[in-house]
Amino acid sequence: MTPYEEIQAPADLRADCEAVHRRLAQAEVRVVRPAPSIHFDEYPREVRKRDIRIDEAAQRLANALHLHLD
């Protein structure tokens, strides 16, 4: 196999370059965006935790493993 047999069609190479350009443009936007704040006073709302539901199948499995999720 010669090295030239591995080269893709010019249209495929162009599509690859355009895809890379789009990804780099997205990365550029993310780089200049300010980082989210970690200060508590900027998040005054209380975030409610989700309820965990244990269905019957999980209950049977836990009981079989002697975990007893009541």
Side-chain angles (χ1 to χ4, degrees):
M1 178 184 291
T2 65
Y4 297 106
E5 291 178 21
E6 296 176 8
I7 296 178
Q8 297 176 351
D12 293 337
L13 295 173
R14 180 179 174 93
D16 290 344
C17 290
E18 288 174 351
V20 168
H21 178 70
R22 282 191 302 272
R23 295 288 306 265
L24 287 175
Q26 292 171 354
E28 181 182 7
V29 169
R30 290 186 191 127
V31 166
V32 297
R33 187 183 314 163
S37 175
I38 60 171
H39 297 288
F40 179 76
D41 56 341
E42 294 183 15
Y43 293 98
R45 60 181 163 69
E46 187 73 25
V47 178
R48 186 173 169 267
K49 294 182 181 178
R50 295 183 292 172
D51 294 331
I52 298 175
R53 296 185 194 153
I54 302 172
D55 62 354
E56 292 179 26
Q59 184 73 35
R60 284 193 304 271
L61 182 61
N63 288 338
L65 296 172
H66 303 292
L67 297 177
H68 303 292
L69 300 175
D70 291 332

